[in-house]
Amino acid sequence: MARSKPNKKSEQIKFNAELTEAEWIVMKVIWENEPCTAGTVQEALANSKDWAYSTIKTTMDRMVNKGFLEIQKIRNLQLFSSAISEVDAKRGEFRKMLQRAFDGALTPMMQFLIEHEGLSKAESAQLRKLVNKAKNRKD
Amino acid sequence: MARSKPNKKSEQIKFNAELTEAEWIVMKVIWENEPCTAGTVQEALANSKDWAYSTIKTTMDRMVNKGFLEIQKIRNLQLFSSAISEVDAKRGEFRKMLQRAFDGALTPMMQFLIEHEGLSKAESAQLRKLVNKAKNRKD
DNA sequence: TTGCATATTCGACAAGTGTCGTATAGTCTC
DNA sequence: GAGACTATACGACACTTGTCGAATATGCAA
């Protein structure tokens, strides 16, 4: 009851985070290496992204402003950590898609998957297994 | 084999269309009313969106440039029709999400759905039914 | 202390998006 | 043909996103 009322907007952000393309790429590295510096992120991405240091740093600074990352300062080093969880980010991305393309309804999306995304026999078997497991969870 | 080589880029657009938020909203109206005018779209959205006529028209013109809509001119009237299918748009949106949040892998997404999106008992039952139906399709 | 090697700060720029306002041009009706 | 309407054509503006470069500040080795 007496829980200090959290900012509605920021909760919204936390639980339904919407990252941009570049932010997703950076975020994945953060989740695997946090806390880490911008330089570390650059190195981690060296193979896949030919980004200048400042590109990465700017992106990360913006993410701090948006509340996606947090900075912990040591000397003149900035160690970045995630301020949102992987689950929240995934949920945000998933729900945005669901809202836009399926008006927020899950079942039509499933229908679509099966009808148009050609679930292979293996995949649907897998799915079936998952679903059965889900059967024994909360309702 | 002798199929005249189609433009790779435009195929990409067609089969994996990526619409913006506003474009999705307009597109849904188009799919339901095509061919129709910008004015018709505005009226159809009157309840949900308080958009100026020019806002809608600009958006639609841009969609024509991107190849998402087509114009058929009658007198000085422009009748807009979709140039991409609902399925293609949905696929585009779905795949973008899948790529970003799940590195393109379906199974982890399913796992996520069940673990974190709290599929209700009814939903998982539904899902199970769909999956079983899918079992009898191609592999 | 001098100076390299890093980090950080900041401003910039081109595209793309959301949103309009306004100037024009086409039609239809008197 | 003139006026009233309706559409169209266009340019504009603020913001966001992807990308940097350059200037400045720090820490450490020689």
PDB file of all heavy atoms in Angstrom, chain A residues 62-80:
ATOM      1  N   ARG A  62      22.613   8.919 -25.493  1.00  0.00           N
ATOM      2  CA  ARG A  62      21.178   9.121 -25.703  1.00  0.00           C
ATOM      3  C   ARG A  62      20.372   8.078 -24.934  1.00  0.00           C
ATOM      4  O   ARG A  62      19.298   8.359 -24.414  1.00  0.00           O
ATOM      5  CB  ARG A  62      20.859   9.025 -27.193  1.00  0.00           C
ATOM      6  CG  ARG A  62      21.334  10.238 -27.989  1.00  0.00           C
ATOM      7  CD  ARG A  62      21.110  10.050 -29.485  1.00  0.00           C
ATOM      8  NE  ARG A  62      21.571  11.203 -30.254  1.00  0.00           N
ATOM      9  CZ  ARG A  62      21.705  11.208 -31.579  1.00  0.00           C
ATOM     10  NH1 ARG A  62      21.405  10.113 -32.279  1.00  0.00           N
ATOM     11  NH2 ARG A  62      22.117  12.285 -32.197  1.00  0.00           N
ATOM     12  N   MET A  63      20.897   6.888 -24.888  1.00  0.00           N
ATOM     13  CA  MET A  63      20.196   5.829 -24.159  1.00  0.00           C
ATOM     14  C   MET A  63      20.148   6.139 -22.668  1.00  0.00           C
ATOM     15  O   MET A  63      19.201   5.768 -21.972  1.00  0.00           O
ATOM     16  CB  MET A  63      20.874   4.478 -24.430  1.00  0.00           C
ATOM     17  CG  MET A  63      20.667   3.996 -25.851  1.00  0.00           C
ATOM     18  SD  MET A  63      21.686   2.555 -26.268  1.00  0.00           S
ATOM     19  CE  MET A  63      20.718   1.223 -25.552  1.00  0.00           C
ATOM     20  N   VAL A  64      21.187   6.789 -22.180  1.00  0.00           N
ATOM     21  CA  VAL A  64      21.182   7.178 -20.771  1.00  0.00           C
ATOM     22  C   VAL A  64      20.060   8.195 -20.560  1.00  0.00           C
ATOM     23  O   VAL A  64      19.280   8.094 -19.620  1.00  0.00           O
ATOM     24  CB  VAL A  64      22.532   7.809 -20.360  1.00  0.00           C
ATOM     25  CG1 VAL A  64      22.421   8.421 -18.961  1.00  0.00           C
ATOM     26  CG2 VAL A  64      23.625   6.754 -20.382  1.00  0.00           C
ATOM     27  N   ASN A  65      19.963   9.148 -21.461  1.00  0.00           N
ATOM     28  CA  ASN A  65      18.908  10.155 -21.341  1.00  0.00           C
ATOM     29  C   ASN A  65      17.513   9.547 -21.363  1.00  0.00           C
ATOM     30  O   ASN A  65      16.619  10.007 -20.678  1.00  0.00           O
ATOM     31  CB  ASN A  65      19.005  11.173 -22.488  1.00  0.00           C
ATOM     32  CG  ASN A  65      20.113  12.168 -22.243  1.00  0.00           C
ATOM     33  OD1 ASN A  65      20.404  12.505 -21.099  1.00  0.00           O
ATOM     34  ND2 ASN A  65      20.748  12.629 -23.307  1.00  0.00           N
ATOM     35  N   LYS A  66      17.378   8.521 -22.148  1.00  0.00           N
ATOM     36  CA  LYS A  66      16.075   7.875 -22.246  1.00  0.00           C
ATOM     37  C   LYS A  66      15.799   6.936 -21.070  1.00  0.00           C
ATOM     38  O   LYS A  66      14.722   6.361 -20.970  1.00  0.00           O
ATOM     39  CB  LYS A  66      15.990   7.058 -23.541  1.00  0.00           C
ATOM     40  CG  LYS A  66      16.016   7.874 -24.814  1.00  0.00           C
ATOM     41  CD  LYS A  66      15.858   6.929 -26.005  1.00  0.00           C
ATOM     42  CE  LYS A  66      15.886   7.659 -27.334  1.00  0.00           C
ATOM     43  NZ  LYS A  66      15.748   6.691 -28.457  1.00  0.00           N
ATOM     44  N   GLY A  67      16.811   6.733 -20.257  1.00  0.00           N
ATOM     45  CA  GLY A  67      16.605   5.851 -19.117  1.00  0.00           C
ATOM     46  C   GLY A  67      16.831   4.383 -19.441  1.00  0.00           C
ATOM     47  O   GLY A  67      16.406   3.502 -18.700  1.00  0.00           O
ATOM     48  N   PHE A  68      17.523   4.101 -20.529  1.00  0.00           N
ATOM     49  CA  PHE A  68      17.772   2.711 -20.884  1.00  0.00           C
ATOM     50  C   PHE A  68      19.090   2.222 -20.299  1.00  0.00           C
ATOM     51  O   PHE A  68      19.291   1.039 -20.091  1.00  0.00           O
ATOM     52  CB  PHE A  68      17.812   2.547 -22.412  1.00  0.00           C
ATOM     53  CG  PHE A  68      16.496   2.819 -23.078  1.00  0.00           C
ATOM     54  CD1 PHE A  68      16.448   3.209 -24.415  1.00  0.00           C
ATOM     55  CD2 PHE A  68      15.295   2.675 -22.378  1.00  0.00           C
ATOM     56  CE1 PHE A  68      15.227   3.457 -25.036  1.00  0.00           C
ATOM     57  CE2 PHE A  68      14.077   2.918 -22.993  1.00  0.00           C
ATOM     58  CZ  PHE A  68      14.043   3.310 -24.325  1.00  0.00           C
ATOM     59  N   LEU A  69      20.007   3.176 -20.073  1.00  0.00           N
ATOM     60  CA  LEU A  69      21.302   2.807 -19.515  1.00  0.00           C
ATOM     61  C   LEU A  69      21.590   3.695 -18.315  1.00  0.00           C
ATOM     62  O   LEU A  69      20.999   4.769 -18.163  1.00  0.00           O
ATOM     63  CB  LEU A  69      22.414   3.023 -20.561  1.00  0.00           C
ATOM     64  CG  LEU A  69      22.446   2.116 -21.787  1.00  0.00           C
ATOM     65  CD1 LEU A  69      23.665   2.468 -22.638  1.00  0.00           C
ATOM     66  CD2 LEU A  69      22.497   0.651 -21.363  1.00  0.00           C
ATOM     67  N   GLU A  70      22.509   3.202 -17.488  1.00  0.00           N
ATOM     68  CA  GLU A  70      22.923   3.986 -16.333  1.00  0.00           C
ATOM     69  C   GLU A  70      24.435   4.065 -16.336  1.00  0.00           C
ATOM     70  O   GLU A  70      25.108   3.150 -16.782  1.00  0.00           O
ATOM     71  CB  GLU A  70      22.476   3.298 -15.038  1.00  0.00           C
ATOM     72  CG  GLU A  70      21.053   3.605 -14.667  1.00  0.00           C
ATOM     73  CD  GLU A  70      20.545   2.688 -13.568  1.00  0.00           C
ATOM     74  OE1 GLU A  70      21.315   1.798 -13.147  1.00  0.00           O
ATOM     75  OE2 GLU A  70      19.385   2.863 -13.150  1.00  0.00           O
ATOM     76  N   ILE A  71      24.929   5.187 -15.830  1.00  0.00           N
ATOM     77  CA  ILE A  71      26.374   5.359 -15.793  1.00  0.00           C
ATOM     78  C   ILE A  71      26.875   5.344 -14.365  1.00  0.00           C
ATOM     79  O   ILE A  71      26.278   5.923 -13.469  1.00  0.00           O
ATOM     80  CB  ILE A  71      26.778   6.709 -16.420  1.00  0.00           C
ATOM     81  CG1 ILE A  71      26.597   6.664 -17.932  1.00  0.00           C
ATOM     82  CG2 ILE A  71      28.225   7.032 -16.086  1.00  0.00           C
ATOM     83  CD1 ILE A  71      26.993   7.942 -18.619  1.00  0.00           C
ATOM     84  N   GLN A  72      27.989   4.662 -14.215  1.00  0.00           N
ATOM     85  CA  GLN A  72      28.651   4.623 -12.919  1.00  0.00           C
ATOM     86  C   GLN A  72      30.049   5.130 -13.232  1.00  0.00           C
ATOM     87  O   GLN A  72      30.725   4.592 -14.100  1.00  0.00           O
ATOM     88  CB  GLN A  72      28.661   3.157 -12.458  1.00  0.00           C
ATOM     89  CG  GLN A  72      29.594   2.847 -11.331  1.00  0.00           C
ATOM     90  CD  GLN A  72      29.724   1.313 -11.165  1.00  0.00           C
ATOM     91  OE1 GLN A  72      29.208   0.543 -11.967  1.00  0.00           O
ATOM     92  NE2 GLN A  72      30.433   0.897 -10.128  1.00  0.00           N
ATOM     93  N   LYS A  73      30.443   6.179 -12.572  1.00  0.00           N
ATOM     94  CA  LYS A  73      31.721   6.790 -12.930  1.00  0.00           C
ATOM     95  C   LYS A  73      32.858   6.357 -12.018  1.00  0.00           C
ATOM     96  O   LYS A  73      32.748   6.366 -10.799  1.00  0.00           O
ATOM     97  CB  LYS A  73      31.580   8.317 -12.881  1.00  0.00           C
ATOM     98  CG  LYS A  73      32.640   9.030 -13.673  1.00  0.00           C
ATOM     99  CD  LYS A  73      32.171  10.418 -14.115  1.00  0.00           C
ATOM    100  CE  LYS A  73      33.217  11.036 -15.040  1.00  0.00           C
ATOM    101  NZ  LYS A  73      32.731  12.260 -15.689  1.00  0.00           N
ATOM    102  N   ILE A  74      33.964   5.982 -12.600  1.00  0.00           N
ATOM    103  CA  ILE A  74      35.147   5.622 -11.844  1.00  0.00           C
ATOM    104  C   ILE A  74      36.284   6.419 -12.440  1.00  0.00           C
ATOM    105  O   ILE A  74      36.635   6.228 -13.585  1.00  0.00           O
ATOM    106  CB  ILE A  74      35.470   4.127 -11.994  1.00  0.00           C
ATOM    107  CG1 ILE A  74      34.372   3.300 -11.331  1.00  0.00           C
ATOM    108  CG2 ILE A  74      36.810   3.836 -11.373  1.00  0.00           C
ATOM    109  CD1 ILE A  74      34.630   1.824 -11.387  1.00  0.00           C
ATOM    110  N   ARG A  75      36.792   7.329 -11.654  1.00  0.00           N
ATOM    111  CA  ARG A  75      37.838   8.217 -12.184  1.00  0.00           C
ATOM    112  C   ARG A  75      37.206   8.942 -13.373  1.00  0.00           C
ATOM    113  O   ARG A  75      36.114   9.464 -13.243  1.00  0.00           O
ATOM    114  CB  ARG A  75      39.065   7.409 -12.648  1.00  0.00           C
ATOM    115  CG  ARG A  75      39.659   6.563 -11.573  1.00  0.00           C
ATOM    116  CD  ARG A  75      40.298   7.420 -10.512  1.00  0.00           C
ATOM    117  NE  ARG A  75      41.716   7.147 -10.363  1.00  0.00           N
ATOM    118  CZ  ARG A  75      42.531   7.967  -9.716  1.00  0.00           C
ATOM    119  NH1 ARG A  75      42.058   9.086  -9.192  1.00  0.00           N
ATOM    120  NH2 ARG A  75      43.791   7.664  -9.581  1.00  0.00           N
ATOM    121  N   ASN A  76      37.874   8.869 -14.490  1.00  0.00           N
ATOM    122  CA  ASN A  76      37.243   9.506 -15.642  1.00  0.00           C
ATOM    123  C   ASN A  76      36.641   8.465 -16.577  1.00  0.00           C
ATOM    124  O   ASN A  76      36.387   8.715 -17.733  1.00  0.00           O
ATOM    125  CB  ASN A  76      38.262  10.359 -16.403  1.00  0.00           C
ATOM    126  CG  ASN A  76      39.177   9.500 -17.245  1.00  0.00           C
ATOM    127  OD1 ASN A  76      39.529   8.399 -16.845  1.00  0.00           O
ATOM    128  ND2 ASN A  76      39.544   9.975 -18.397  1.00  0.00           N
ATOM    129  N   LEU A  77      36.434   7.303 -16.030  1.00  0.00           N
ATOM    130  CA  LEU A  77      35.843   6.233 -16.844  1.00  0.00           C
ATOM    131  C   LEU A  77      34.357   6.132 -16.594  1.00  0.00           C
ATOM    132  O   LEU A  77      33.890   6.219 -15.467  1.00  0.00           O
ATOM    133  CB  LEU A  77      36.472   4.896 -16.447  1.00  0.00           C
ATOM    134  CG  LEU A  77      37.670   4.395 -17.224  1.00  0.00           C
ATOM    135  CD1 LEU A  77      37.413   2.969 -17.692  1.00  0.00           C
ATOM    136  CD2 LEU A  77      37.934   5.276 -18.441  1.00  0.00           C
ATOM    137  N   GLN A  78      33.606   5.916 -17.638  1.00  0.00           N
ATOM    138  CA  GLN A  78      32.173   5.719 -17.475  1.00  0.00           C
ATOM    139  C   GLN A  78      31.843   4.259 -17.716  1.00  0.00           C
ATOM    140  O   GLN A  78      32.086   3.736 -18.790  1.00  0.00           O
ATOM    141  CB  GLN A  78      31.408   6.575 -18.481  1.00  0.00           C
ATOM    142  CG  GLN A  78      31.567   8.062 -18.243  1.00  0.00           C
ATOM    143  CD  GLN A  78      30.862   8.869 -19.296  1.00  0.00           C
ATOM    144  OE1 GLN A  78      30.950   8.553 -20.480  1.00  0.00           O
ATOM    145  NE2 GLN A  78      30.169   9.914 -18.878  1.00  0.00           N
ATOM    146  N   LEU A  79      31.291   3.653 -16.708  1.00  0.00           N
ATOM    147  CA  LEU A  79      30.881   2.256 -16.858  1.00  0.00           C
ATOM    148  C   LEU A  79      29.375   2.264 -17.048  1.00  0.00           C
ATOM    149  O   LEU A  79      28.627   2.782 -16.225  1.00  0.00           O
ATOM    150  CB  LEU A  79      31.246   1.457 -15.613  1.00  0.00           C
ATOM    151  CG  LEU A  79      32.726   1.140 -15.459  1.00  0.00           C
ATOM    152  CD1 LEU A  79      32.951   0.231 -14.257  1.00  0.00           C
ATOM    153  CD2 LEU A  79      33.249   0.456 -16.728  1.00  0.00           C
ATOM    154  N   PHE A  80      28.958   1.706 -18.147  1.00  0.00           N
ATOM    155  CA  PHE A  80      27.523   1.670 -18.445  1.00  0.00           C
ATOM    156  C   PHE A  80      26.886   0.353 -18.024  1.00  0.00           C
ATOM    157  O   PHE A  80      27.486  -0.705 -18.160  1.00  0.00           O
ATOM    158  CB  PHE A  80      27.307   1.835 -19.952  1.00  0.00           C
ATOM    159  CG  PHE A  80      27.689   3.188 -20.474  1.00  0.00           C
ATOM    160  CD1 PHE A  80      29.024   3.487 -20.735  1.00  0.00           C
ATOM    161  CD2 PHE A  80      26.728   4.163 -20.711  1.00  0.00           C
ATOM    162  CE1 PHE A  80      29.393   4.737 -21.233  1.00  0.00           C
ATOM    163  CE2 PHE A  80      27.089   5.414 -21.210  1.00  0.00           C
ATOM    164  CZ  PHE A  80      28.417   5.694 -21.470  1.00  0.00           C
TER     165      PHE A  80
END
